[in-house]
Amino acid sequence: MTHRDPNEPIWRRYVRFWRRDLVADVDDELAFHFAKRVAEFETGGTSHDDAVAAARERFGDLDGVRDALVSIDVRIGRRSRASRVLDAALHDTAYAVRGLRRAPGLAASIVLTLAFGIGANAAMFTVVDRVFFRTPPGLVRPSQVRRLIARELGQGNILYPTELFTTTEHDAFRSATSGRADVEGYSTDPDVRFDGGTEHHTIAYATSGFLRLTGVHPALGRFFDTHENRYGAPTNVAILNYAYWLRAYGGDRAVVGRTISIDSVRFTIIGVAQRGFDGMDLDAVDVWAPLASLPVGPEGPWWDGQFQILRLFTRVVNPASSAAVYARLKTTYSELRLRGYRPPGESFIPYIETESVIQGRTSIGLGQQDARNLALLTRLAGVSLLVLIISICNAASLLLMRAMRRRREIAVRLALGVSRLRLFAQLAVESLLLAAVAGIFSIWLAFGAGRALRTQLISDVHWSATLIDARVVCFTVIMALVAGILAGTAPIIVVRASGVMSALKVGAQESGRPRSAARIALLATQTALCMVMLSAAGLFVDSLWHARSFDFGFDKAQLVTVSLPLADENEIVRVVEQIRSMPGVEAVARSELDLRGGGMAQLRLPNGFQTPRLASPQFNHIDTSYARVVGLRLLEGRAWRAAQDDGDSVALINRAMSHRYWGGRSPLGDCVTLVGGPSAHVCFRVIGVFQDVRWNLDRPAVEQFDIVSPRWRPRWMSSATVRTRGPATGSTVAGIRELLRTIRGPVAYPPTARSVSERLEPQVHPWRVAAAMFLAFGLLGLVAATAGIYGLVGYEVTQRTHEFGVRITLGATARSILSLVIASGVRVTLLGLAVGLIASLAVGRAISSLVFEISPYDPLVLSTTMAVLAAVAVIASLIPAWRATRLDPVAALRAE
Amino acid sequence: MELLPGTLDGLVLQGLAWGPKHGYAVARWIEGSSRDALAVLDGALYTSLRRMEERGWVAAEWGTTHTGRRARFYRLTPAGKRQLVAEQNGWADYVAAVGRVMRTTTEPA
């Protein structure tokens, strides 16, 4: 049992616990002092007790001094330990730099490998961070702001979310939660032009309280007020986005009070929004305007009441009551929807949920291909992690090779008494140093690659934020650290395993195990991951091919669509005639809607059946040449013929409609009427059935009903479809655009012309990007794996020189030596391929939503990938194997 | 005689000027060279040594005395030597200044 001084301060007990030697040292020193003093006094003749008392008196406050000494020692100890570590680190760094300068090729290849792995991830992070992790810049207390999402039951009894609401619903939400929460939002138009320019900009029409809800402040001027946002009597005022203000006005403070023309409507600039704030979602807003200033159609505000245009957010005044407020919103929406139209027998009650601003962001304000690109983005982020793992494996095996070569040196150092800890530290410093240099390179890489990713992947996002910021740098530093530690681990394991004596005995050709398990594991991992990426690349290439050769049901290569909204009929006729006479134009057809469709009509069929109100066939008015110009493929019946059909009301339907409503029977000659409307009594005779036209790769064809008429007048939309001679080129489209510019009068939405292949291209784009990126990553992985196999087999040949010498002397043929060596390379590859196959199946599952019209476990893709990798392994083994067959047996036998 | 505040460090540094000493030897040296005129508490001496160790003026090391006992020896570091010179000059200036004042016989104007 140890004696414990009851007066001892508690802290000293801790000091004693942690730094037992410090307290003991002080006590030893003082004991020595007292022994000397007492001895000194005793020589003067005093008694022992008196001498002790005198020495004490001479010393002063013993306990106080003792405490002071210990605490100073603690401080000194702490500081000297830190400086020792620093010294060692500096020394190790210098040592590592010297060592690496002697092997510049190796250092460069490790740095390059790691830089690529880290850079790919940093680049991905620049995009992923903005999309998935960052709350809108400038938004105050973002966790208290929730987005409203409605749940509706769709076709096929699928619950689908709706993020857009009508102004009526907004008013209901506001009065239901008045005083307890703010419910505000905005509606964007991503296709407006400012001051007659050609660049596309995004305008947001916001409710009066939206900017107040976010908590952002005007950087300049003011925000608009309720009285400026009255429906029917709006004040056209605009607030500029900070970045746009800098870009377009050079940050001129005198901008307030000036006017900006937005699609030829004049707005007075009243302020500039807080720096960084560009809305809640990824479609960055350039200008904010009052909701009431949304363009109005000929019959008043078309958007008021029934159109779902507003994305809504809520901020509860008192966070404690948020549950009650959300419940109130939920029931308000349900009541509202129950009051409106409901299909008979419908028991589902639509309701509202709230979710975080980020959660809903990925699907809002973005086109469908962008949504797909976001899905692709997460997979690319995953694959960039694979690239990092490969690059770490590669760096590790290079460092491992170096450690093996230096086993003798290491053993000598160990024998000379260098501690193992120091040795590990030196190896770790070496790999961390390489990773640090790689990290610097990778930031540079991330800058270029990140910018490319942003423009290639999500075009609707304006990405006003800077590309490289503190978060990206932080992420890169962490990545580099992790990569450095992981890559440095392999050689450390080898050093641990190698005994001093065995290593000292090793000659130039090292003995011991011919192949290290660590190297094989690294190489197999590399091969497996390489296979994963190449098979994924194969799936995407295949998907791309399928998507590109997809039959949309019309001649997409030769078509240009021209939208002619809200223009005067005589003017349209004139424009169409002018386009028709342009060189390179073969024909022009007119229709109400273009190929994309979008209209719907409830129909009554000959048997009296009415098509469902909310799931009726798509409806279009087309002129008599439309079917021919667009290239509809007639399956049954015929197109419009003047002799038979003029003066009659006729219609074309598609295969899907014929299939759904007529089953196996022929619809030709049957009468279809519209439900409601002025022409409800007219019989439209079905004269032909054409192959389904699709606009979207992902959606199944919907039923289509087209009224064909030579004397049809547009009601509210009008478009023309131009068929060019040969593929629709940019110059033809530009010519049409030039023509349209001349008629661009006082219309709210200017006419546009775009080639159909250009309009369809974004759908194919994700696969193009995916195929390119996965292929690039996969090929880089392949190069690394090939180099690895070559290195491993070459190393083995060097080690087994003696053995091969014996074999050749005993009569082994070149052929048998060759197969012996190649087999060793192929064995590792097969191990990797076995693991890779399983991993590829798992990855196939993860990317199944992105694969188009093929199985994510496509056996052809998988087997081709494996065959390619196996062939590469054989080729990589060939050179060292050939060297083995050329051995001079005598020299080989003499070799140590 | 009581020691003037701030002068102990200088005395200790001076005590180490001839080579490493343990704390007791420094105390004995001060007593001897001042002919027992200066009263320095041993505790204050050790605290001064420690403080100067922390500042990097002296370095400490365990060693054995010529009688074979384990003791902690202190020696001057290069920084300590510089400090010693500074202390010596400072003291000389101080003494000269005080001396001049003390020897003054005229009343100031």
Side-chain angles (χ1 to χ4, degrees), chain A residues 743-761:
Chain A
I743 62 146
R744 190 179 163 185
V747 287
Y749 298 101
T752 53
R754 288 179 72 191
S755 77
V756 167
S757 32
E758 182 200 343
R759 288 180 70 185
L760 293 174
E761 159 61 23

Side-chain angles (χ1 to χ4, degrees), chain A residues 692-758:
Chain A
D692 295 339
V693 164
R694 285 164 69 175
W695 187 258
N696 202 302
L697 289 172
D698 301 306
R699 300 208 186 124
V702 282
E703 299 86 48
Q704 175 89 33
F705 180 78
D706 293 343
I707 293 177
V708 192
S709 165
R711 277 171 301 277
W712 145 78
R713 295 235 143 199
R715 289 179 306 171
W716 54 283
M717 277 297 288
S718 190
S719 43
T721 307
V722 180
R723 187 186 184 92
T724 55
R725 298 177 208 281
T729 56
S731 61
T732 316
V733 177
I736 297 171
R737 280 194 191 143
E738 193 51 47
L739 188 70
L740 292 175
R741 203 158 295 149
T742 60
I743 62 146
R744 190 179 163 185
V747 287
Y749 298 101
T752 53
R754 288 179 72 191
S755 77
V756 167
S757 32
E758 182 200 343

Side-chain angles (χ1 to χ4, degrees), chain A residues 603-855:
Chain A
L603 305 173
R604 181 173 288 113
L605 302 174
N607 57 6
F609 183 83
Q610 277 188 24
T611 56
R613 193 184 134 109
L614 291 174
S616 279
Q618 279 214 25
F619 171 76
N620 202 357
H621 258 119
I622 57 178
D623 74 5
T624 54
S625 65
Y626 184 84
R628 181 175 44 82
V629 169
V630 166
L632 295 183
R633 324 254 151 81
L634 269 175
L635 300 174
E636 234 184 296
R638 55 178 173 79
W640 192 87
R641 265 186 222 143
Q644 288 140 309
D645 300 320
D646 201 10
D648 202 357
S649 300
V650 295
L652 288 171
I653 65 171
N654 71 349
R655 199 202 59 88
M657 179 159 177
S658 162
H659 187 77
R660 175 156 180 191
Y661 295 111
W662 276 269
R665 291 180 302 106
S666 167
L668 297 182
D670 278 359
C671 217
V672 178
T673 52
L674 297 171
V675 175
S679 47
H681 59 280
V682 181
C683 160
F684 292 99
R685 201 159 38 80
V686 177
I687 56 166
V689 179
F690 58 89
Q691 192 191 315
D692 295 339
V693 164
R694 285 164 69 175
W695 187 258
N696 202 302
L697 289 172
D698 301 306
R699 300 208 186 124
V702 282
E703 299 86 48
Q704 175 89 33
F705 180 78
D706 293 343
I707 293 177
V708 192
S709 165
R711 277 171 301 277
W712 145 78
R713 295 235 143 199
R715 289 179 306 171
W716 54 283
M717 277 297 288
S718 190
S719 43
T721 307
V722 180
R723 187 186 184 92
T724 55
R725 298 177 208 281
T729 56
S731 61
T732 316
V733 177
I736 297 171
R737 280 194 191 143
E738 193 51 47
L739 188 70
L740 292 175
R741 203 158 295 149
T742 60
I743 62 146
R744 190 179 163 185
V747 287
Y749 298 101
T752 53
R754 288 179 72 191
S755 77
V756 167
S757 32
E758 182 200 343
R759 288 180 70 185
L760 293 174
E761 159 61 23
Q763 292 190 57
V764 182
H765 190 72
W767 288 295
R768 205 187 294 281
V769 174
M773 294 208 51
F774 274 73
L775 209 56
F777 284 162
L779 288 179
L780 274 159
L782 188 64
V783 170
T786 312
I789 293 167
Y790 174 81
L792 183 78
V793 175
Y795 176 72
E796 199 177 274
V797 167
T798 324
Q799 280 200 327
R800 291 167 72 182
T801 304
H802 190 78
E803 179 201 327
F804 289 144
V806 172
R807 280 173 187 268
I808 293 170
T809 319
L810 292 179
T813 58
R815 206 186 146 82
S816 68
I817 296 282
L818 203 66
S819 61
L820 199 69
V821 177
I822 290 176
S824 77
V826 169
R827 262 200 302 275
V828 182
T829 312
L830 287 183
L831 180 67
L833 289 183
V835 179
L837 182 61
I838 298 164
S840 296
L841 293 176
V843 166
R845 209 182 133 87
I847 61 171
S848 58
S849 66
L850 291 168
V851 170
F852 184 68
E853 285 202 333
I854 51 164
S855 159

Side-chain angles (χ1 to χ4, degrees), chain A residues 306-352:
Chain A
Q306 51 201 321
F307 282 84
Q308 298 179 322
I309 52 166
L310 281 173
R311 52 188 101 164
L312 289 177
F313 303 88
T314 179
R315 190 197 284 276
V316 178
V317 174
N318 174 13
S321 69
S322 54
V325 171
Y326 299 156
R328 185 85 187 85
L329 285 170
K330 182 174 176 171
T331 52
T332 307
Y333 185 72
S334 301
E335 282 162 18
L336 214 67
R337 295 288 286 111
L338 287 178
R339 238 181 283 149
Y341 169 81
R342 280 172 60 75
E346 173 68 74
S347 62
F348 175 80
I349 302 169
Y351 59 95
I352 286 258

Side-chain angles (χ1 to χ4, degrees), chain A residues 361-602:
Chain A
R361 152 193 296 178
T362 47
S363 61
I364 294 180
L366 297 178
Q368 183 163 20
Q369 68 275 8
D370 277 320
R372 191 196 292 282
N373 276 329
L374 283 183
L376 175 62
L377 180 64
T378 56
R379 273 58 166 203
L380 281 176
V383 94
S384 68
L385 275 181
L386 294 190
V387 171
L388 183 64
I389 296 174
I390 289 187
S391 73
I392 290 174
C393 282
N394 208 26
S397 47
L398 287 171
L399 283 170
L400 193 63
M401 223 160 70
R402 179 171 158 79
M404 302 273 254
R405 229 176 272 142
R406 287 163 65 192
R407 267 170 75 187
R408 258 173 88 98
E409 178 204 329
I410 288 168
V412 169
R413 286 160 58 87
L414 278 175
L416 288 177
V418 173
S419 81
R420 268 167 192 262
L421 198 69
R422 252 334 266 291
L423 203 63
F424 294 161
Q426 274 168 5
L427 287 170
V429 162
E430 194 173 77
S431 71
L432 282 175
L433 191 72
L434 289 167
V437 177
I440 293 165
F441 272 114
S442 67
I443 295 237
W444 175 70
L445 237 159
F447 190 75
R451 195 155 47 185
L453 267 180
R454 285 179 167 200
T455 51
Q456 286 295 301
L457 270 180
I458 306 141
S459 49
D460 282 357
V461 178
H462 282 210
W463 302 114
S464 52
T466 53
L467 197 64
I468 304 292
D469 58 9
R471 283 164 71 114
V472 175
V473 172
C474 234
F475 175 84
T476 311
V477 168
I478 291 169
M479 278 279 165
L481 209 63
V482 169
I485 289 168
L486 288 180
T489 309
I492 286 174
I493 290 170
V494 169
V495 171
R496 265 175 68 110
S498 72
V500 176
M501 291 321 287
S502 76
L504 276 175
K505 282 188 212 135
V506 168
Q509 285 170 35
E510 295 148 55
S511 67
R513 287 170 302 164
R515 0 168 63 185
S516 97
R519 281 196 81 180
I520 291 176
L522 287 173
L523 202 53
T525 312
Q526 251 173 293
T527 313
L529 294 180
C530 183
M531 163 160 185
V532 166
M533 292 196 298
L534 283 178
S535 64
L539 289 176
F540 286 130
V541 169
D542 214 1
S543 296
L544 175 65
W545 188 80
H546 276 280
R548 290 193 56 163
S549 54
F550 184 77
D551 182 13
F552 287 89
F554 50 82
D555 303 338
K556 60 176 174 176
Q558 277 172 274
L559 299 180
V560 177
T561 53
V562 180
S563 77
L564 302 158
L566 302 172
D568 174 67
E569 172 63 16
N570 295 329
E571 202 165 35
I572 294 179
V573 171
R574 211 180 63 233
V575 171
V576 167
E577 282 314 313
Q578 279 176 324
I579 294 175
R580 197 168 278 148
S581 62
M582 280 175 66
V585 170
E586 192 181 305
V588 183
R590 287 187 58 194
S591 56
E592 188 168 84
L593 300 164
D594 65 17
L595 283 162
R596 189 178 185 168
M600 194 192 270
Q602 200 177 8

